[in-house]
Amino acid sequence: MRILVTGASGFVGAQLVPRLLADGHSVVAVARDEQRVWAALADRLQDRHRGALEVRSVDAIGGRGLDEALAGAEVAYYLIHSMERPPAAGGSFVERERLAATTFAQAASRARVPRLVYLGGLLPSGAGAAVPSGQADPVSRHLASRREVEEILMNAVSDSIALRSSIVIGARSRSFRLLVRLVERLPVLTLPAWQHFSTQPIDARDIVEMLAVCAQATPAVTSLQAGGPDTLTYGEMLSRIAELMLVNRPSIRFKVNLTPVAARVVAAVVGEDPELVLPLMEGLQSDLLVAADDAAEHLKVSLHSFDAAVEHALAEWERYEPLAAR
């Protein structure tokens, strides 16, 4: 099959491209910068697969190069997701996400791509549908944006699949790196009220396997919920990461969140942009669990435990960058 992968220089895309090539597919890997794609694939791409790989520079928001890249594609993966600070007069991340998804959906429809595959986020229970006009949305901006993007893509191409994922555990996952940096740099973990909420973090290897299977799968539903086998509170996740890093981190637990202030403190500690951290922390205000339509069951993918996922991610991380706390 001829398969297009957007966001090919990103954390998930750079792992999915070699996986699809190994299955014998012809892959068109696209991103804003071709060189970043080649750099991301440098230690993952086997020489025997290079002939089946095409790398293109595409502007997802403006649409430059999209029609040419999508020509003849039988499956297109939409892995574009960015919450970085926008350029001057660039609009909010929600606006940019909406525009990019709309531009891509229209191009995929023009190209008559039979299937789109999208990786979004798990939603709080009962929050899967669009919010009626005039009613407040209980979902964070981050997760609401992912839901909106899913709707735009699924409405454009009927035979499509969306995976709604929990936190992905991997060396290049920005959510996981944020947690590791907190453990690494804070001698005492200060945990707001969101520590009590639960989720099902998933190994990057498992989410990549699910995405690869989606190219040819025939699930009975459009949206599948992808969570790992272990249900943990966010506080437990931080404690387990500290234990697996072999560091002692006592904690102070609060009953309030103060998310805007806490996000800026966390951003300063981990060296991240507050524009990224704030939406992520806004999404920690409820349980995010697999309620139905389990992706692992539908796609027949065996799952790694949380501890195995963290150990694998830390080992990969340390091949490129030392962790001061280890």
Side-chain angles (χ1 to χ4, degrees), residues 16-287:
L16 178 61
V17 168
R19 174 66 180 77
L20 293 172
L21 290 168
D23 278 352
H25 299 299
S26 173
V27 177
V28 181
V30 304
R32 285 174 294 181
D33 185 342
E34 290 183 34
Q35 295 307 312
R36 289 184 62 183
V37 176
W38 288 117
L41 296 175
D43 60 347
R44 300 181 184 276
L45 191 61
Q46 297 185 29
D47 288 339
R48 63 190 178 91
H49 293 149
R50 289 180 180 272
L53 174 65
E54 181 181 344
V55 176
R56 286 175 174 262
S57 174
V58 165
D59 176 8
I61 294 180
R64 174 186 53 80
L66 260 182
D67 289 333
E68 295 82 359
L70 284 165
E74 297 167 81
V75 178
Y77 286 86
Y78 191 84
L79 304 178
I80 298 170
H81 186 63
S82 174
M83 292 182 296
E84 285 85 356
R85 188 182 300 275
S92 68
F93 81 84
V94 174
E95 293 167 333
R96 298 196 311 278
E97 292 283 277
R98 181 185 302 120
L99 180 56
T102 301
T103 300
F104 185 84
Q106 292 172 347
S109 181
R110 286 194 302 271
R112 300 185 182 277
V113 178
R115 170 170 290 180
L116 304 182
V117 180
Y118 172 59
L119 177 61
L122 278 178
L123 299 173
S125 178
V131 177
S133 177
Q135 293 188 19
D137 193 341
V139 183
S140 72
R141 292 179 298 156
H142 171 213
L143 294 177
S145 175
R146 289 199 159 193
R147 178 183 59 196
E148 182 181 15
V149 169
E150 177 183 321
E151 291 170 355
I152 291 169
L153 297 173
M154 299 301 104
N155 288 337
V157 177
S158 58
D159 185 22
S160 295
I161 303 174
L163 291 183
R164 295 177 177 175
S165 170
S166 179
I167 293 176
V168 179
I169 306 299
R172 291 182 60 203
S173 164
R174 294 182 77 169
S175 297
F176 176 67
R177 290 179 71 88
L178 187 150
L179 296 177
V180 171
R181 288 304 192 198
L182 286 175
V183 170
E184 184 182 41
R185 297 175 180 179
L186 289 177
V188 177
L189 295 175
T190 304
L191 302 178
W194 50 253
Q195 67 183 287
H196 298 297
F197 291 116
S198 299
T199 191
Q200 293 172 251
I202 186 167
D203 194 314
R205 293 170 292 181
D206 298 337
I207 204 70
V208 168
E209 183 65 21
M210 290 179 184
L211 286 166
V213 174
C214 281
Q216 297 174 286
T218 55
V221 292
T222 299
S223 295
L224 296 173
Q225 300 185 34
D230 301 314
T231 299
L232 301 165
T233 67
Y234 295 107
E236 289 170 341
M237 286 177 59
L238 284 165
S239 296
R240 289 298 301 135
I241 290 171
E243 291 177 18
L244 293 166
M245 291 176 68
L246 305 178
V247 296
N248 180 33
R249 290 293 183 264
S251 61
I252 300 175
R253 300 172 186 267
F254 293 93
K255 296 182 179 180
V256 296
N257 280 324
L258 299 174
T259 299
V261 175
R264 294 196 175 276
V265 172
V266 168
V269 170
V270 303
E272 267 287 9
D273 188 336
E275 295 294 324
L276 168 74
V277 176
L278 179 57
L280 287 176
M281 291 189 65
E282 287 175 344
L284 305 181
Q285 311 303 317
S286 59
D287 292 334

